[in-house]
Amino acid sequence: MSPALPEARPEPWPGGVRPQARPVLPPAPVAVSVPAEGEDTARRIAEAMAPLDPALVLLFGMPAEGLPALGTALREALGQGCRVVGCSSVGEIGPGGYCARTVTALGFPSASFRVGVCVLRDQALVPVSEWMATLRRFHADFRPDLRRSSFGVLLADALARQEDVLTATLDAAIPGLPIVGGSSAEGMRFEPTCQMVDGAAHPGAALFLLVETDLAAAEVSFSHFSPTDRRAVVTAADRHNRVILELNGEPAAQEYARLAGIPVEALTPTEFARHPLLLRTGKRHHVRAIRAITPQGGLQLLSGIEAGNILTLGRAMDMTRGFAEVLDALPRPPLMVLGFDCVLRRLALERAGMDGQMSELLARYRVAGFNTYGEQHSGMHVNQTFVGMALMPPEPG
């Protein structure tokens, strides 16, 4: 008869304490940038996204005429459970920072994300009552899980020029929901964009996404301007077209040039980016960016304006250090920051030779998104600002 084996006992851990298993983190989102004109654009994006089993793929970039076909191809490759949403843009932010003539794709894994998509039609016509009813039904049908983080993403058509009303409507329809977003137009010529959902184009619409996740989410914003002592009163304006006709009773472009100390003939988008007009709301100044000078000598803006508004000339501060400070203040390093960065900020960085430095920061903090003609956050439409949603590991414990 074989001798009895000794009773098996677990070996003690060093120090007599069994280590705690590391918590399993929810799957993180992934970003990839590929050339927009490549023949294998759809295949390369699909191969990068397929391992995620994504609930959502966001696409930024791509010429407007090609975006629906790309959306259709990705929908077929990734399955009907994946929503594919996107818009053409003036520039993209990929894994390596600023990029151009690319498609930047952001994939959100279904294991840690749930998403709903709402198309707000006829943005230029401002059907506020219809939007309000649509959004309330959409939110009720989505039924957010209060144990998870939720936030909204808005992709607006910049050419419709109605983002101020749109953001206010969203804030009223779903109060308390943090919402970030950007206004899109194609290229520096401010040409029509393509708003796309699952391969279908939606001309003139705004796209609103409701996102729920197991990750922690925190809204971030950064503007690199401070007010000077030079002020002006808007004495005449075309509110509908966002044009300042007169400042301080003088032709708007002429008075703006005087305040900025620049000859009228030397005013360019880069100079507009360096010397923005600021509108104070509450305790904060928000940029009212200038897009162009009209043939009549007015100032075409990218945000709403009214006669009687008091504007302050802004002064540029450090465009990189402050950005790093904002993101370093997050409770945990981000797994991704869904970012919307004004194209005028990018132009100012390029003029200062700091775009490479900024790209390094964007890559370090895992920012992915696109360059905009206006940004939305905290129920407001602003300009020359970086806004984003930082997605981080859940709080320990």
Side-chain angles (χ1 to χ4, degrees), residues 9 35 77 122 138 141 147 181 231 243 253 261 272 276 310 315 336 375 377 381:
R9 294 183 180 181
D122 303 318
F138 170 64
D141 291 342
R147 297 167 298 180
R231 297 184 180 180
V243 177
F272 297 148
I310 299 174
R315 175 176 53 237
M336 175 186 283
E375 305 77 54
H377 77 112
H381 174 64

Side-chain angles (χ1 to χ4, degrees), residues 363-380:
R364 180 194 306 172
Y365 293 103
R366 301 182 179 181
V367 179
F370 74 100
N371 293 113
T372 68
Y373 281 102
E375 305 77 54
Q376 294 87 44
H377 77 112
S378 301
M380 293 192 64

Side-chain angles (χ1 to χ4, degrees), residues 202-217:
H202 295 277
L207 308 180
F208 176 67
L209 289 75
L210 186 53
V211 182
E212 184 182 279
T213 177
D214 293 318
L215 299 176

Side-chain angles (χ1 to χ4, degrees), residues 53-375:
D53 182 24
L56 168 69
V57 171
L58 287 175
L59 300 175
F60 301 131
M62 192 74 183
E65 66 273 11
L67 195 58
L70 178 59
T72 298
L74 289 174
R75 178 85 160 166
E76 292 174 353
L78 299 172
Q80 298 300 302
C82 176
R83 308 304 302 269
V84 182
V85 180
C87 60
S88 47
S89 73
V90 66
E92 300 79 55
I93 307 170
Y98 286 140
C99 48
R101 296 179 296 280
T102 71
V103 180
T104 293
L106 287 64
F108 299 83
S110 59
S112 50
F113 287 86
R114 184 168 72 99
V115 63
V117 183
C118 181
V119 179
L120 299 171
R121 304 183 189 282
D122 303 318
Q123 189 181 326
L125 301 179
V126 203
V128 173
S129 296
E130 178 184 329
W131 287 347
M132 188 74 73
T134 299
L135 287 165
R136 285 174 173 166
R137 286 195 304 269
F138 170 64
H139 187 251
D141 291 342
F142 188 83
R143 300 180 64 183
D145 184 342
L146 299 181
R147 297 167 298 180
R148 308 175 86 195
S149 302
S150 293
F151 61 92
V153 178
L154 178 64
L155 303 179
D157 184 344
L159 275 69
R161 301 190 300 270
Q162 296 296 347
E163 298 98 324
D164 300 274
V165 177
L166 184 61
T167 52
T169 303
L170 278 162
D171 194 50
I174 314 177
L177 181 74
I179 298 172
V180 296
S183 301
S184 64
E186 187 171 324
M188 287 304 300
R189 290 187 169 184
F190 203 66
E191 295 175 340
T193 185
C194 176
Q195 310 288 95
M196 182 276 297
V197 178
D198 297 335
H202 295 277
L207 308 180
F208 176 67
L209 289 75
L210 186 53
V211 182
E212 184 182 279
T213 177
D214 293 318
L215 299 176
E219 188 177 353
V220 294
S221 67
F222 171 69
S223 179
H224 62 281
F225 295 99
S226 62
T228 67
D229 59 359
R230 284 168 280 180
R231 297 184 180 180
V233 178
V234 179
T235 46
D238 177 350
R239 180 179 177 182
H240 176 73
N241 290 308
R242 295 176 168 174
V243 177
I244 302 176
L245 302 173
E246 291 182 0
L247 284 172
N248 295 336
E250 301 291 338
Q254 176 182 313
E255 181 66 0
Y256 168 78
R258 185 188 71 81
L259 290 169
I262 301 169
V264 173
E265 59 272 15
L267 293 176
T268 64
T270 301
E271 295 299 335
F272 297 148
R274 294 178 61 214
H275 305 282
L277 294 170
L278 310 179
L279 176 67
R280 182 166 181 168
T281 305
K283 295 182 179 180
R284 297 183 62 186
H285 285 86
H286 300 279
V287 177
R288 289 294 182 256
I290 304 166
R291 182 171 73 86
I293 298 175
T294 70
Q296 296 76 33
L299 296 175
Q300 173 77 63
L301 303 189
L302 290 170
S303 292
I305 198 69
E306 297 182 10
N309 285 160
I310 299 174
L311 300 175
T312 302
L313 194 72
R315 175 176 53 237
M317 308 295 284
D318 191 303
M319 287 184 280
T320 57
R321 185 180 62 188
F323 179 80
E325 290 172 355
V326 167
L327 290 172
D328 283 336
L330 290 167
R332 290 172 298 285
L335 300 171
M336 175 186 283
V337 179
L338 171 58
F340 304 94
D341 195 21
C342 184
V343 66
L344 295 179
R345 274 180 36 85
R346 180 166 174 169
L347 285 175
L349 286 159
E350 289 174 351
R351 186 182 188 278
M354 299 174 66
D355 50 319
Q357 185 178 347
M358 189 67 194
S359 283
E360 290 178 3
L361 286 174
L362 293 168
R364 180 194 306 172
Y365 293 103
R366 301 182 179 181
V367 179
F370 74 100
N371 293 113
T372 68
Y373 281 102
E375 305 77 54

Side-chain angles (χ1 to χ4, degrees), residues 6-29:
E7 181 181 357
R9 294 183 180 181
E11 291 293 327
W13 295 95
V17 179
R18 182 185 296 270
Q20 296 293 318
R22 288 188 178 182
V24 178
L25 296 178

